[in-house]
Amino acid sequence: MDTRRRALAVCLVAAFMTGLDVSIVNVALPSIRASLHATEDGLQWTLSGYALTFGLLLVPAGRLGDVRSRRTLFIWGVALFTLSSAACGFAWDPKVLIVARLVQGMAAGTTNPQVSGLIQHMFRGYERGRAFGALGATIGVSTAAGPLIGGVLVTVFGADHGWRWVFLVNVPIGMVLLPLAWRVLPSPDPAVPRPERRESMDPVGVLLLGVGVAGLLLPFIQRHQWEGNAKWVLIPISFLILAGFVTWERFYRREPLVDLALFRKRSYSLGSAIALFYFAGFTGIFFIFTLYLQSGLGYNPLQAGLSITPFPLGSASASVVGGRLVHRVGRRLVALGLATVIIGISATMAATALVPGRGVGLATALPLLVAGMGSGLVISPNQAITLSEVPPAGGGSAAGVLQTGQRLGSAIGIAAIGSTFFGALNEGWPAAFRHGLMVVLLFILLALSAAAYDLVRTPSRFT
C-alpha cells in the first residue's frame, strides 16, 4: 500500500468517526436522561448542538486548511475530537455534556473539510472518483450505522454506562489516528505558492457566514424547545445576512472565503443543490424509523439498530461501485441512484402497510437494502462530480460549502419530516411513519429534478 492509500485510510477513519456521532447518540438519549436526570431541552441540545457547531465550522475550517495546512488542521481537529469525546463520556452533569458536545461538533467541522481537500490534492481523474467513492460510502454508512452501533454499546455496557461508551469508543480510535496522520498525510499540502496567501482569511466573511448559517439552523434544531413562532423570524433575517455575505464576497479585494465563481459551474451549483435536498430526505429516514420502532413497537436499541442495518449495507456496497463508474457514467449514475432510493422508500411504505406490528423490522429489510443501494449511487458520485472542476488549492473551502449545505439539508429535513410524523400520530404509529416517508420522497424528488435538469442540459459529459 503506497503512502496515498494509507493517507486515504486515515482520512476515511476520521470521516467515519465524526459522521457516526451525528446519529449514534439517538438510541442513547433515554439512558442519558435517566443517568444525568437531563431535561428534554438538555437532550435536544445534546443531539443538535453537535450538528450546529459542526455546520458552522465547515467553511472557515476548510478555508483555513487551504491557506495554511490541511494536515495541521486535520491533526488538531482529530485531537480536539478525541478530547471532547472523553469529556462527553465522563460528563457528570447535563451542562458539561452539552458543552463537550458543542466542542466535539467544532472538532468535526474542523476535520471534515480537510478530508475532501486532501483527496482533491492527492488524487486525479479516475483515482479521485474511486477515492470519493470510498468517502461517500464512509459518510453514508457512518450516518446509517450509528443507531446500530449505539444500540450494541448500550446493550453490552448496560443502560447506566452504555451511553458513556457511545462517546468513549472514539478515544482509542483518535489516539491511533494522531500518530498515523502525522506520518502519512502530505505536507506541505496546497499545490500553490503559500506566502501571498497567508493573510487571506476574510474575517468579515467568516462572521457573516457564521451568523447566517447559525440563524438558519437554530429554528429547525430547536423547533420543539423554542416555543412560539418567533424563532421563524430568524430565517428571513438569516437570508438577509447571507445576502450581505454574498455581496461582501463579490467585492472583497483579497481572496474571499468562498469563491463565488464556483457556482457558475453547473457541476458545482447543481451538485450542491442535489446534496442539500438528498440529505434533507436521507437523514430523516433514520430519525423517524428509530422513533417508530422504539416508541411505537417497543423495540430495544439493539433491535432498532439491526432493523436499520440493511440500508448501510446496501449503501456501502453500491458506493464502491459508484466511485468506479462515475467517471464514465457521470450524472446519469446519480439520477439512477435517486430513482432507486425512491423505489426503495415506496416499497418500505408498502411493507409497513402490509405487515403491521412487530414484524415491520423484517418486512422492511429488502426495501431498505434497495434504498441503501440507491443511496450509495448518489452520495459519493455526486460529491466526485460536484468537486470535479474545483482547483485542488480551493478544495477545502469548496468541500466545506458543500458539506454545510448537507448539514442545512439535514436540519431542515428532520424538522419537516419530524413535524409531519408527530402531527400524524393521532392516526397511529404506522400511518405517521408513512406520512413522514412521503416528505422524504418529496425531498428526494427535488434532488432528482436537479439531476434531470443537468442531464437535459449536458447529457454526455462527466459533470
Side-chain angles (χ1 to χ4, degrees):
M1 183 185 292
D2 63 30
T3 302
R4 290 184 309 156
R5 303 295 175 186
R6 290 194 292 269
L8 178 62
V10 168
C11 290
L12 295 181
V13 172
F16 184 88
M17 184 171 64
T18 57
L20 191 68
D21 272 60
V22 173
S23 60
I24 194 173
V25 181
N26 283 303
V27 296
L29 291 178
S31 300
I32 294 172
R33 177 194 289 137
S35 179
L36 297 182
H37 307 290
T39 63
E40 289 293 327
D41 191 58
L43 291 175
Q44 178 66 22
W45 270 105
T46 299
L47 192 63
S48 59
Y50 179 84
L52 176 64
T53 52
F54 192 156
L56 288 178
L57 264 289
L58 285 167
V59 177
R63 182 73 190 126
L64 186 60
D66 288 343
V67 302
R68 299 292 191 268
S69 168
R70 293 171 188 142
R71 174 176 177 265
T72 300
L73 265 289
F74 180 94
I75 291 171
W76 276 106
V78 170
L80 186 60
F81 191 87
T82 304
L83 290 172
S84 56
S85 295
C88 289
F90 291 112
W92 61 90
D93 180 83
K95 293 179 180 178
V96 175
L97 179 59
I98 291 169
V99 171
R101 279 287 281 175
L102 291 171
V103 176
Q104 192 185 38
M106 294 171 63
T110 300
T111 303
N112 270 264
Q114 315 314 324
V115 173
S116 297
L118 285 164
I119 289 176
Q120 288 280 96
H121 171 67
M122 293 188 295
F123 299 96
R124 296 287 185 276
Y126 177 72
E127 286 189 324
R128 182 184 289 177
R130 295 187 65 174
F132 274 124
L135 178 60
T138 301
I139 293 171
V141 171
S142 65
T143 303
L148 172 62
I149 296 174
V152 169
L153 291 171
V154 171
T155 301
V156 170
F157 292 100
D160 291 337
H161 300 290
W163 70 267
R164 297 185 181 276
W165 283 98
V166 164
F167 302 109
L168 292 175
V169 70
N170 295 322
V171 176
I173 299 174
M175 292 177 67
V176 172
L177 275 182
L178 286 171
L180 289 176
W182 182 264
R183 288 177 55 190
V184 303
L185 293 186
S187 181
D189 39 43
V192 294
R194 302 170 65 86
E196 59 267 37
R197 294 168 52 95
R198 293 190 63 84
E199 60 180 1
S200 178
M201 278 307 299
D202 189 7
V204 175
V206 170
L207 178 63
L208 289 172
L209 182 63
V211 173
V213 170
L216 282 179
L217 284 172
L218 271 174
F220 293 106
I221 66 177
Q222 285 287 285
R223 63 194 180 282
H224 297 307
Q225 279 62 43
W226 187 348
E227 297 180 357
N229 294 321
K231 58 181 175 287
W232 302 114
V233 177
L234 283 178
I235 293 180
I237 294 174
S238 298
F239 277 121
L240 288 174
I241 293 171
L242 291 174
F245 166 75
V246 171
T247 303
W248 172 265
E249 295 296 282
R250 286 183 63 188
F251 296 102
Y252 186 56
R253 294 188 176 182
R254 297 180 181 178
E255 195 167 358
L257 178 66
V258 176
D259 182 6
L260 297 179
L262 286 173
F263 291 95
R264 291 198 289 270
K265 300 178 186 295
R266 194 157 58 247
S267 59
Y268 190 82
S269 57
L270 285 176
S272 297
I274 291 169
L276 187 149
F277 290 129
Y278 183 68
F279 270 76
F282 157 74
T283 312
I285 297 170
F286 314 111
F287 175 62
I288 60 173
F289 197 40
T290 302
L291 284 172
Y292 174 33
L293 294 175
Q294 291 188 263
S295 301
L297 298 177
Y299 280 37
N300 63 39
L302 180 57
Q303 290 171 327
L306 286 170
S307 298
I308 296 170
T309 300
F311 193 103
L313 287 178
S315 179
S317 58
S319 289
V320 176
V321 176
R324 293 175 177 175
L325 293 178
V326 64
H327 199 71
R328 296 202 304 268
V329 182
R331 192 74 79 188
R332 286 172 294 172
L333 188 64
V334 177
L336 174 64
L338 289 166
T340 304
V341 174
I342 290 171
I343 293 170
I345 296 303
S346 300
T348 300
M349 294 173 63
T352 61
L354 295 172
V355 186
R358 290 183 62 85
V360 162
L362 184 60
T364 57
L366 181 58
L368 286 176
L369 179 67
V370 172
M373 293 174 67
S375 184
L377 298 179
V378 175
I379 297 177
S380 55
N382 186 63
Q383 183 154 355
I385 293 168
T386 304
L387 298 177
S388 62
E389 295 184 280
V390 176
S397 55
V401 173
L402 177 63
Q403 292 182 39
T404 299
Q406 293 172 357
R407 300 276 73 79
L408 282 171
S410 296
I412 293 168
I414 287 176
I417 295 162
S419 296
T420 303
F421 175 82
F422 289 119
L425 276 178
N426 61 325
E427 301 178 36
W429 287 94
F433 180 58
R434 288 192 290 273
H435 278 76
L437 288 184
M438 287 296 294
V439 183
V440 171
L441 288 175
L442 176 60
F443 282 120
I444 296 174
L445 281 169
L446 289 171
L448 180 57
S449 298
Y453 174 79
D454 195 27
L455 287 177
V456 170
R457 294 294 300 271
T458 53
S460 61
R461 61 177 210 161
F462 170 59
T463 53

